[in-house]
Amino acid sequence: MKTPDLSLAELGTYFPDDFTPEQRAKAQTLFLKELAASAHRFYRGKIVSMPKAGIYGFNWFNVYYTPGVSMVSTSIRDDNDASFDLSNRGNLVAVVSDSTRVLGDGDVTPSGGLGVMEGKAFLMKYLGGVDGVALCIDSYNKEGKHDPDKIIDFVRMLQPSFGAVNLEDISQPNCFKVLDTLREECDIPVWHDDAQGTASVTLAGLINALRVVGKEFKDAKIVLLGAGAANSTAARLLLADGADPEKMVVFDSRGGLHKGRDDVKADTAYYRKWEICEATNPGRIDTEEEALKGADVIIAASKPGPDTIKPEWIHSMNAKSVVFACANPVPEIYPYAAKEAGAYVVATGRGDFPNQVNNSMGFPGILKGALLVRARKITDGMAIAAAHAVADFAEKKGIGPDSIMPTMEETEVFAVEAAETAMQAIKDGVARVELTWDEVYNTTLADIQEARAAIDLLQKNDFIKTPDLKMLEVARDRAVAAVRA
């Protein structure tokens, strides 16, 4: 059992040799949670605001503030689009959440989502060169219920200050109304990363998983477990990209979605679910056991496991089956158990297992591409283009059963993704400005490198403090003790 180091490069070796694979997986999860709590307390969050303009003497405040800045105000008054050039708006994303569906923890109260939203802003900057602001809001109405209209009104009001809005961790069915209303009514991209973002990277991962197992996309029998924002949108993107609706079955907590689900049809708030009912599962299959017999793919974004997906279900699937168990923080089945049951390719949403299918591979590049061409929305076509960019990037590097996706360390993938997203925005007619593929790629790569260089400089000069290794040891020991208990 090794002492943890700051790189966290060998997570599995931090735990006792006598741990079973299941105990090791549990310890890994608990260790990361304990370390997260300590690190956030140490840093008091992850994000700080810093000027990007130079200070050459106190008289420059007369330039950046009054009286000089008056000309900036009147210039934007006369042409609102000038705000993209004269302020940071063109590279600024609002990360908006009411914190009602945070990871596997559900409703954590408005301020409970701050850790995740700051994390989203952190990844935006480091992976995409994009500035993000965490905005966790209270969506309760006078009756004590979460009101989607409050979120809609809030986003409408903040539009003038941001280049895009990333909706996050909003429970269903509110998330559907919020996204679809704002996509049409706002003049900047509003996207729900739990929906379009997760769906885009799921498509990317599936493209390469099917390449690895030698199966055609249009021929694959696909089962989706869970019908929340992620899988509802994944189903839509998969169908738009060529999946066969007659070979797709989607499950919610009450069974298979199909035209006989009068309960879904009657609840108009779940209109996205009803679209799936109308398009898929013509055989009206109602049980996971039946659906998975002879299936090629299961994509789960449902209840955290590790027993949500049964090993016997996987055993009944076709040879060289593909299992995506993407619940966080604990997948619906651990990878080792899925492999033991016969799965050939296994992916999760976590970076400490092979094949991470997580929206962190999508939103930094997609948002950057949308921002650079000043897109008015992010279309499904843009999300699909990004998925193919990610999949093709990984394929060129070499793919296999444990390597269907690029990693976050491959900086170039985000620049390629941004460029492909931007080109699709232009094709779809939602871009305010037209740039070339190379212009978007080079700008994105330069902005990412600048962000990372700045963080490195702050660390080297001790403006970002280095935590004591004892913090890691304590987190490890607490995790081991909890598993042994």
Side-chain angles (χ1 to χ4, degrees):
M1 185 169 69
K2 293 183 179 179
T3 297
D5 61 33
L6 285 172
S7 73
L8 301 181
E10 299 180 90
L11 277 174
T13 65
Y14 301 160
F15 310 110
D17 294 337
D18 64 345
F19 269 15
T20 66
E22 184 176 358
Q23 286 176 314
R24 195 171 298 276
K26 287 181 179 177
Q28 233 166 260
T29 301
L30 291 170
F31 167 69
L32 293 171
K33 287 185 173 184
E34 290 281 358
L35 184 56
S38 297
H40 283 71
R41 190 173 294 111
F42 176 79
Y43 286 114
R44 287 182 295 170
K46 299 183 286 285
I47 297 294
V48 65
S49 296
M50 287 287 287
K52 65 176 181 179
I55 303 294
Y56 310 103
F58 277 84
N59 280 334
W60 274 86
F61 290 138
N62 298 317
V63 175
Y64 296 146
Y65 198 52
T66 186
V69 79
S70 171
M71 191 169 186
V72 176
S73 300
T74 55
S75 296
I76 295 173
R77 176 198 64 195
D78 297 339
D79 176 11
N80 280 183
D81 281 356
S83 60
F84 291 100
D85 294 315
L86 298 175
S87 76
N88 195 42
R89 182 186 183 193
N91 196 51
L92 189 61
V93 175
V95 185
V96 176
S97 179
D98 67 351
S99 307
T100 52
R101 185 65 176 84
V102 176
L103 300 177
D105 299 315
D107 189 337
V108 296
T109 75
S111 56
L114 280 171
V116 175
M117 306 318 136
E118 279 196 348
K120 185 72 70 174
F122 192 113
L123 292 172
M124 282 181 190
K125 189 65 175 179
Y126 198 80
L127 300 178
V130 173
D131 296 315
V133 177
L135 298 172
C136 290
I137 65 171
D138 184 341
S139 66
Y140 284 106
N141 59 22
K142 292 179 180 179
E143 287 73 43
K145 296 181 179 179
H146 291 290
D147 186 347
D149 289 326
K150 293 193 74 172
I151 307 173
I152 290 168
D153 288 342
F154 179 79
V155 172
R156 282 196 192 113
M157 288 189 287
L158 63 76
Q159 275 191 90
S161 292
F162 293 90
V165 175
N166 183 113
L167 301 173
E168 193 80 16
D169 293 339
I170 300 169
S171 61
Q172 65 166 325
N174 289 353
C175 60
F176 301 124
K177 179 180 180 180
V178 170
L179 174 62
D180 290 339
T181 300
L182 292 171
R183 282 180 82 186
E184 297 307 314
E185 294 187 2
C186 290
D187 204 34
I188 58 173
V190 179
W191 108 314
H192 187 196
D193 195 39
D194 298 314
Q196 296 151 292
T198 301
S200 179
V201 295
T202 298
L203 174 57
L206 184 56
I207 289 169
N208 277 350
L210 292 175
R211 285 170 174 168
V212 167
V213 300
K215 298 179 182 181
E216 293 292 325
F217 199 78
K218 61 182 176 59
D219 297 328
K221 181 181 177 183
I222 302 171
V223 177
L224 291 95
L225 186 61
N231 264 0
S232 294
T233 311
R236 188 173 82 233
L237 293 193
L238 295 179
L239 293 172
D241 203 38
D244 186 344
E246 295 190 359
K247 295 179 179 178
M248 180 181 289
V249 182
V250 183
F251 286 88
D252 68 4
S253 60
R254 296 181 180 179
L257 299 184
H258 51 71
K259 289 181 180 178
R261 286 289 300 274
D262 292 336
D263 58 321
V264 179
K265 185 177 182 180
D267 192 342
T268 56
Y270 285 92
Y271 60 93
R272 286 297 187 190
K273 270 194 191 182
W274 181 245
E275 290 174 357
I276 296 171
C277 290
E278 290 187 302
T280 65
N281 192 10
R284 301 193 178 189
I285 295 171
D286 270 320
T287 68
E288 292 91 343
E289 292 89 342
E290 183 182 357
L292 283 163
K293 287 177 183 176
D296 298 294
V297 177
I298 179 169
I299 298 171
S302 58
K303 178 184 175 183
D307 300 314
T308 302
I309 295 177
K310 308 299 181 185
E312 55 267 30
W313 297 352
I314 297 173
H315 190 69
S316 73
M317 295 173 71
N318 277 338
K320 291 196 170 182
S321 60
V322 175
V323 175
F324 284 15
C326 295
N328 270 318
V330 180
E332 291 87 350
I333 186 170
Y334 282 121
Y336 78 88
K339 287 285 186 80
E340 287 176 357
Y344 192 77
V345 176
V346 181
T348 72
R350 287 173 43 158
D352 53 338
F353 295 132
N355 294 331
Q356 183 183 25
V357 176
N358 183 278
N359 48 20
S360 57
M361 190 52 63
F363 68 83
I366 294 171
L367 287 170
K368 187 66 172 183
L371 287 167
L372 285 174
V373 295
R374 299 180 188 171
R376 288 185 166 86
K377 67 168 59 176
I378 296 175
T379 65
D380 283 355
M382 291 161 70
I384 291 171
H388 281 270
V390 170
D392 292 347
F393 183 92
E395 186 187 31
K396 288 175 184 175
K397 297 276 186 176
I399 56 176
D402 290 327
S403 55
I404 61 171
M405 292 288 283
T407 68
M408 285 187 281
E409 295 175 1
E410 295 176 274
T411 305
E412 190 181 348
V413 66
F414 297 102
V416 170
E417 187 179 29
E420 292 293 340
T421 300
M423 295 306 100
Q424 190 64 43
I426 294 169
K427 288 179 187 176
D428 290 346
V430 296
R432 286 182 176 85
V433 299
E434 293 195 10
L435 301 174
T436 66
W437 193 97
D438 286 343
E439 286 173 325
V440 176
Y441 174 87
N442 290 331
T443 300
T444 301
L445 198 57
D447 286 353
I448 295 170
Q449 290 168 341
E450 181 180 295
R452 296 185 182 186
I455 292 170
D456 288 345
L457 187 64
L458 290 170
Q459 286 186 225
K460 287 175 182 176
N461 287 277
D462 209 30
F463 292 111
I464 294 178
K465 306 292 184 185
T466 303
D468 191 322
L469 284 175
K470 189 70 176 174
M471 179 190 297
L472 284 73
E473 293 179 14
V474 169
R476 187 269 316 276
D477 293 344
R478 286 178 176 170
V480 170
V483 170
R484 288 211 186 279

